[in-house]
Amino acid sequence: MTDKTANTMWGGRFAAGPDAIMEAINASIGFDQRMASQDIAGSRAHAAMLGATGILSDKDVKSIREGLLTVLSEIEGGTFAFSTALEDIHMNVEARLKELIGEPAGRLHTGRSRNDQVATDFKLWVRDQLDAADGALVSLIAALLDQAEAGADWVMPGFTHLQTAQPVTWGHHMMAYVEMFGRDLSRVRDARARMNESPLGAAALAGTSFPIDRQMTAEALGFDRPAANSLDAVSDRDFALEFLNVASICAMHLSRFAEELVIWSSAQFRFVTLSDRFSTGSSIMPQKKNPDAAELIRAKVGRIFGANTALMMVMKGLPLAYSKDMQEDKEQVFDAADNWMLALAAMDGMVRDMTANRDSLAAAAGSGFSTATDLADWLVRVLGLPFRDAHHITGALVALAESEGKDLPDLTLEQMKTAYDGITAEVFDVLGVENSVNSRTSYGGTAPVQVRAQVARWKEVLSR
Ligand code: ARG
């Protein structure tokens, strides 16, 4: 006789139950209960199909459906008793269904395995997260567009190597992030389209001899089509990896922006003021207003990219089809998803609330010889000098200004002429930062007219 402690789901050939350590390493219910609603949706679709194809009687299907709805309401209501002995969400739900409806519960697993079941549940869960990320990115882009539109002609320094390079506009800088998050959004949508094939009905690995209708379950669960190879369907975790890849790249973008906000909100820069709602104070230094949200967003990329690496390593070298290794997929994805969503929401809130300090931006824009390139370009355009000569002359003038503790527009015409006699007073027109940014009208350039065109284009894109 079989030991009573043997698993009722698969214990037929077992004489004893698992060791406590075995149970501890094996169980996933502690985390995969997050897929309860997906599991029940998958089971409902499967049961309805078993009825429609005549594999189960309508009576059984009806009682399964009602029982599953009861289980769902127990889980949602917090009254469901999850059991580690029942390993995972799939067996917890089925065991409770058995308690509620008896014998028909045992028929639900006809033509199905936990392997296609877990792949289906997890795909549905990841797909929901991609949809949430889609919405969060659209919202963040909209917030950035508002910032860009308000400050389309506010000048600020543009940097390379974090050294003043050329003046740009605030709007242009904001729109750079719109492009980045826009690519993230398109990656989210690509990933969703590619992953949207149903594993359900692949069964354990080889398909099933029951006359199931995979098209029907795929449609019921919002998939575009059933996955075409049963071995692949149960062993594919590309969708989870793509989710983590997309999240990693987006988190990288978020971290770059967060880093800029940390720098910009410092007393030395004062480019932006973060709202009180997205800052914290210091318990000892009363003057402090810390950009903690930005710092944490900056850090999130670490765990998200860590999850990406971890799952790549789990999947690497696994033979077909399912292996229990794959149970390690969920905690990584859950943690990455939670933190990605939180980072997106926090960035959204910070961007909506922050104030760009127009005067500080303008003051900084004019310092650091930011219009040196404009001077060199003027020597080429107006005086016809080769660019290399113009570069050299401008360099000499920068050195002169620096030695006098001045900026370029503060030099006198006489001083200008010491570097190149042909320079005229007209040169002062291009040394102002406003003129500098207004002149950069090439497509995608920093001129306000270009920035406004890009804002309009993105608004159009988002309204589609
Ligand atoms: N809890 C398992 C997982 O997350 C479900 C699939 C188990 N399948 C199996 N053949 N043991 O991967």
Side-chain angles (χ1 to χ4, degrees), residues 89-127:
I89 186 63
H90 323 295
M91 298 207 293
N92 268 266
V93 169
E94 194 183 318
R96 178 65 184 139
L97 186 66
K98 179 108 189 286
E99 283 172 11
L100 289 167
I101 67 169
E103 196 239 52
R107 300 183 189 279
L108 171 61
H109 217 47
T110 312
R112 172 179 93 166
S113 149
R114 265 192 298 158
N115 298 347
D116 59 337
Q117 191 178 357
V118 72
T120 304
D121 295 2
F122 196 32
K123 263 198 172 180
L124 292 173
W125 196 92
V126 169
R127 197 177 68 186

Side-chain angles (χ1 to χ4, degrees), residues 140 143-144 147 170 174 254-255 257-262 265 272-280 290-298 342-356:
L140 175 56
L144 286 162
Q147 284 284 353
W170 170 257
M174 292 300 107
L254 287 167
S255 80
F257 194 18
E259 165 73 354
E260 297 208 306
L261 294 178
V262 170
S265 61
V272 296
T273 305
L274 300 176
S275 75
D276 288 357
R277 302 195 323 141
F278 285 93
S279 310
T280 57
N290 294 329
D292 291 35
E295 294 168 272
L296 287 162
I297 293 169
R298 185 172 61 184
L342 192 55
L344 281 168
M347 186 58 93
D348 189 280
M350 276 200 304
V351 172
R352 279 172 200 282
D353 276 21
M354 77 183 176
T355 314

Side-chain angles (χ1 to χ4, degrees), residues 28 32 88 90 114-115 118 322 324 327 330:
S28 54
D32 68 13
D88 56 24
H90 323 295
R114 265 192 298 158
N115 298 347
V118 72
Y322 178 84
K324 197 61 172 264
Q327 180 168 284
K330 286 166 215 69

Side-chain angles (χ1 to χ4, degrees), residues 121-175:
D121 295 2
F122 196 32
K123 263 198 172 180
L124 292 173
W125 196 92
V126 169
R127 197 177 68 186
D128 284 348
Q129 295 299 308
L130 286 171
D131 290 342
D134 190 309
L137 282 163
V138 166
S139 175
L140 175 56
I141 290 170
L144 286 162
L145 288 175
D146 286 347
Q147 284 284 353
E149 196 165 33
D153 55 3
W154 299 355
V155 291
M156 68 180 282
F159 300 91
T160 60
H161 315 266
L162 199 57
Q163 307 288 320
T164 300
Q166 295 174 357
V168 295
T169 49
W170 170 257
H172 197 50
H173 204 117
M174 292 300 107
M175 291 306 289

